[in-house]
Amino acid sequence: MSEVATALDRDGGRASTGVFAPTTVALLLIVGILGFAGSLLLGAYAPDFRSGRNAGAHALSNAATGFAGIVNLAGATGRNPRILRTEAGWDTEDLVVATPEHGNVDMSSFMTMRRGRATLIVLPKWSTVANEDVDGWADIVGLLPASDPARTLAPATALPIARRPSGGRPLRAVDWAPAALSVGAPRPLQTVAPAALVPFVTDAAGRVVLGRIGRTEVYILADPDLLNNHGIRSLARARGALALLDFVNSTGAEGVAFDVTLNGLARGRSPLKLAFEPPFLAMTMAIVAALALAGWQALIRFGTPEPPRRAIAFGKTALVDNSAMILRKAGREGALGGRYAALIRERARSLLGVPARLTDEEADRYLDRLPGPSTFTMLVAPAGRAGHRDDMLAAARALHQWLWEKTR
């Protein structure tokens, strides 16, 4: 009877090789590991892969109300534009263009970070929905309520909004502003009341289209159509948009940054993402290497394989094993010391030529006269007194060593 069953196939009596071949199992493991690693990476970086093609009014949008056009145009004309997708990016001396899509966007942290630095805030104007036929395009539903852009900087700064037909008449810029800012006004034109801002570009009635908040470096563009994709479709508007960026970026900064964090497109931080970035990337690679080595050790056999053992041994081995098990369960192993000493005595008598006429006591004295550091009687006494398994084992080892030294 054996614990290891031998499986035979029906045809040739050969051992069965299992349901899957080793190559199949290896491929399944590789695909599973790669899939798991890929899911972790996508889970960590999926927010960063968002393209921004959601028909919104931000710097990644190709919709009519988006600002991807001015970003590309600024790049083509050497103005070094970049997209800010983290709040830490607000801490820059470059001009930062913010395009909140609604007036209820929290601007407090942004305004605090940008204090004293050139900043252009483009007010929202249009209400849109995503175009169902073309990905990234938007359909204009109508104008947002005037109260929506009016509360963009509330309550710190009130921005009374007005919309009027402009007839496409040219805007009026201050004398020191670039002439390209005097472009035809959008239709309809969204403006801010003159008392709210320091005017730089106005309509014919003096209402502010581009203004500055007091003596700060924060500029407000009331009408986004002067900068968005729909507005710069004409050459004059495109020139005016570049001139506008240069005008508000007069601090000498080397680039223009377009923020999309206020549009919900920020790159988030997560514990999972930290595992794939320095300095924790080294620890992640060390863990992966340790797991790979552990898997390799599990797959590769080391050393000579041990043959399977029978559940019940043959013949004398079975008898010895059963007797040892009974003694062990009865707790009588310590009482075997005297019997083991008697066994060693009998072997010594036959191996060392002890006269057969001698009794056990006389044989012990005979064996004591043999040269060596220990006498036989000194080793027999602890074996006879042993009451614990460990004591008996120590005495038996001493007797075995004594006999080995005398017979070698």
Side-chain angles (χ1 to χ4, degrees):
M1 182 178 202
S2 174
E3 292 180 346
V4 180
T6 303
L8 301 178
D9 61 12
R10 297 181 179 178
D11 298 331
R14 294 171 298 178
S16 174
T17 58
V19 179
F20 296 105
T23 304
T24 304
V25 175
L27 289 176
L28 289 175
L29 286 175
I30 292 173
V31 172
I33 292 172
L34 291 178
F36 178 70
S39 65
L40 288 180
L41 287 172
L42 287 177
Y45 289 96
D48 298 350
F49 295 151
R50 289 181 294 181
S51 65
R53 295 176 62 86
N54 59 355
H58 51 77
L60 296 174
S61 175
N62 293 325
T65 55
F67 298 91
I70 188 61
V71 175
N72 294 332
L73 184 59
T77 54
R79 288 171 171 81
N80 303 320
R82 55 194 175 94
I83 303 296
L84 299 183
R85 302 191 71 166
T86 62
E87 294 185 3
W90 296 343
D91 188 12
T92 176
E93 297 301 323
D94 292 342
L95 169 68
V96 175
V97 180
T99 58
E101 299 181 56
H102 289 282
N104 58 4
V105 176
D106 185 7
M107 301 279 290
S108 56
S109 299
F110 176 79
M111 296 299 293
T112 301
M113 185 77 75
R114 296 303 302 168
R115 183 175 294 133
R117 300 171 179 175
T119 305
L120 175 64
I121 299 175
V122 183
L123 299 182
K125 177 180 178 181
W126 299 105
S127 175
T128 62
V129 295
N131 189 292
E132 296 181 357
D133 299 326
V134 183
D135 182 31
W137 285 23
D139 294 329
I140 295 178
V141 177
L143 293 170
L144 290 171
S147 59
D148 189 308
R151 63 175 182 265
T152 299
L153 298 180
T157 303
L159 299 173
I161 298 296
R163 280 85 171 259
R164 289 181 174 82
S166 66
R169 290 183 291 274
L171 299 174
R172 298 178 180 179
V174 292
D175 295 339
W176 64 88
L181 291 179
S182 300
V183 295
R187 304 182 185 185
L189 178 64
Q190 179 171 280
T191 60
V192 178
L197 302 171
V198 177
F200 289 103
V201 178
T202 62
D203 63 358
R207 292 178 288 267
V208 179
V209 178
L210 174 67
R212 189 183 66 196
I213 300 177
R215 296 187 178 184
T216 67
E217 292 296 325
V218 179
Y219 296 84
I220 304 297
L221 179 61
D223 199 310
D225 289 345
L226 293 174
L227 209 61
N228 60 24
N229 299 332
H230 175 74
I232 64 172
R233 69 188 188 279
S234 67
L235 181 59
R237 286 274 184 84
R239 288 174 176 169
L242 293 176
L244 188 152
L245 294 179
D246 294 338
F247 179 70
V248 299
N249 198 22
S250 58
T251 57
E254 298 179 355
V256 181
F258 292 84
D259 176 72
V260 296
T261 61
L262 297 174
N263 304 92
L265 297 174
R267 288 194 178 110
R269 295 180 64 85
S270 67
L272 182 60
K273 188 175 180 180
L274 291 176
F276 299 101
E277 295 180 349
F280 298 102
L281 179 60
M283 180 182 295
T284 302
M285 295 178 66
I287 293 174
V288 171
L291 292 176
L293 291 176
W296 178 259
Q297 184 177 11
L299 292 175
I300 304 301
R301 185 192 299 273
F302 291 88
T304 304
E306 295 184 358
R309 299 180 179 179
R310 292 183 58 84
I312 300 177
F314 289 112
K316 295 180 180 179
T317 304
L319 180 60
V320 173
D321 288 345
N322 291 338
S323 300
M325 180 180 65
I326 293 172
L327 290 172
R328 186 165 54 251
K329 288 184 176 295
R332 303 290 295 172
E333 294 173 295
L336 297 177
R339 297 185 181 185
Y340 186 77
L343 176 63
I344 294 296
R345 180 187 296 111
E346 292 302 321
R347 293 193 65 190
R349 292 175 70 128
S350 61
L351 294 175
L352 301 175
V354 179
R357 67 178 183 276
L358 299 180
T359 63
D360 289 345
E361 291 77 7
E362 295 172 341
D364 290 351
R365 289 193 294 271
Y366 180 90
L367 294 173
D368 288 344
R369 290 195 294 270
L370 296 175
S374 301
T375 62
F376 182 75
T377 305
M378 292 174 54
L379 300 177
V380 169
R385 293 193 306 266
H388 190 270
R389 176 178 179 274
D390 294 338
D391 298 335
M392 185 275 294
L393 185 60
R397 286 175 175 172
L399 286 170
H400 177 78
Q401 180 68 20
W402 178 88
L403 181 61
W404 177 79
E405 291 175 353
K406 297 299 184 285
T407 56
R408 62 179 179 177

